[in-house]
Amino acid sequence: MHKPDTRTVSNRIAQQCARALQADGHDPADFLRQTGITPAQLDEPGGRINAERHRRMTAYAQQLPQHRAILDIDVTHWFAHFSGIAHVCFNRPTLRSALHELLHLRGLIGEFDFMLMSESGTRIEIEYLSEFCPAGGAMQALANFRMLSLVARAYDDGAATAFHAGFQGKAPWFAPAIAECFGAAASFGQGRNTLTFDAPALDRPFAQFNAMLAPHALRHAQGQLQKLQGAQLFSARVEQAIIDLLSRQADADGAALLPALCDGLAMNRWTLQRQLQQEQTSFRALELRAKSRESRRLLRETSMSVAEIGDRLGFSSQSAFTRFFKTQFELPPARYRHDVQGSSSEFVQTQALP
């Protein structure tokens, strides 16, 4: 018997999606029919939507016209139903701490997709990776970037931070409103969904930080997250363990990874494979997923050559690594790095303009 994907997303996301679609003239009954979400699941206080229904909702929303309602939500409305996150992220000692906690605690909103943060001097880049959207998930990225910008601006001391957003796909009809919201023109048709901004005061003490309340808020939010993650798939934990191993050991081929992984999980390979088979996956599949994520990180954050990264990840040659990367991301690794560095240079030049 196969285990289902036990990850969930807050039903507040489904409520927002349903309201936006209804405001655009869509039949509420069609939303329920297409997603499989019941009225009771939609209205349940503190309810969660399972992986399959969330996937169906995302696919359904992708077929419909884009809407700008996400830009009109302010801090009060955005975090009204996620008070655990708000109490932590709006009361941290520094902006750096607030951003890290937001990325860590966003599982309370939903356990899908990824947001990766990288730094280059005072420049911060957040990349959003979508799981369910073949077109890149630009609107999902927009929602997450909007939430992050609200947190970052709470730590402003002076002029409002300007955010440079880049999205996959075509510009929506409300693109000027996106630029107005973030304080800088947004770019579309990009290879990645990114949000970049300058944060020279990333580690400056936050004047409104309440040191007495902060530990209690953090423990409460972490407890909520741990409760949700207690039901996380075994395969998700294995994938993260592989990523941890890739970052630590130089010999990363499957023959070396598997014994190290089994040692870390305190189980033999047959037990590991049997549990993964119950979730319709395998060590090899998770190894490839982990290597695809780690390869992007190394290209973004290190000066290692493409050949060195391929060797680090256990590929037999640079050409083998390049073929793998092109299969995963539809562009060679050197082009991916060039695009990342190009967006960085453009950002720096923009910041230097008078």
Side-chain angles (χ1 to χ4, degrees), residues 115-182:
M115 288 181 73
L116 309 175
M117 174 175 164
S118 59
E119 301 178 38
S120 178
T122 62
R123 174 183 171 274
I124 302 296
E125 179 186 271
I126 307 293
E127 180 177 3
Y128 177 85
L129 303 175
S130 173
E131 286 190 69
F132 295 141
C133 299
M139 289 302 99
Q140 286 80 1
L142 174 60
N144 281 272
F145 291 165
R146 175 61 173 151
M147 175 177 61
L148 188 142
S149 72
L150 292 172
V151 170
R153 281 182 171 163
Y155 290 77
D156 283 345
D157 184 10
T161 298
F163 300 90
H164 297 254
F167 299 99
Q168 296 176 281
K170 298 180 180 179
W173 64 268
F174 55 90
I178 296 177
E180 182 179 353
C181 175
F182 288 122

Side-chain angles (χ1 to χ4, degrees), residues 49-123:
I49 301 299
N50 69 18
E52 174 58 20
R53 291 186 176 93
H54 178 66
R55 183 195 64 75
R56 290 170 61 179
M57 181 182 72
T58 302
Y60 176 57
Q62 288 291 302
Q63 302 172 18
L64 302 175
Q66 298 165 332
H67 53 84
R68 58 152 290 158
I70 202 72
L71 298 177
D72 298 325
I73 302 176
D74 60 17
V75 173
T76 302
H77 289 90
W78 195 276
F79 291 98
H81 304 295
F82 305 108
S83 58
I85 296 178
H87 291 158
V88 171
C89 294
F90 290 106
N91 184 36
R92 298 307 299 159
T94 65
L95 172 58
R96 180 192 300 277
S97 176
L99 294 176
H100 280 294
E101 293 301 345
L102 176 61
L103 297 184
H104 175 63
L105 295 172
R106 64 186 291 270
L108 292 174
I109 301 175
E111 299 179 280
F112 303 97
D113 305 338
F114 307 96
M115 288 181 73
L116 309 175
M117 174 175 164
S118 59
E119 301 178 38
S120 178
T122 62
R123 174 183 171 274

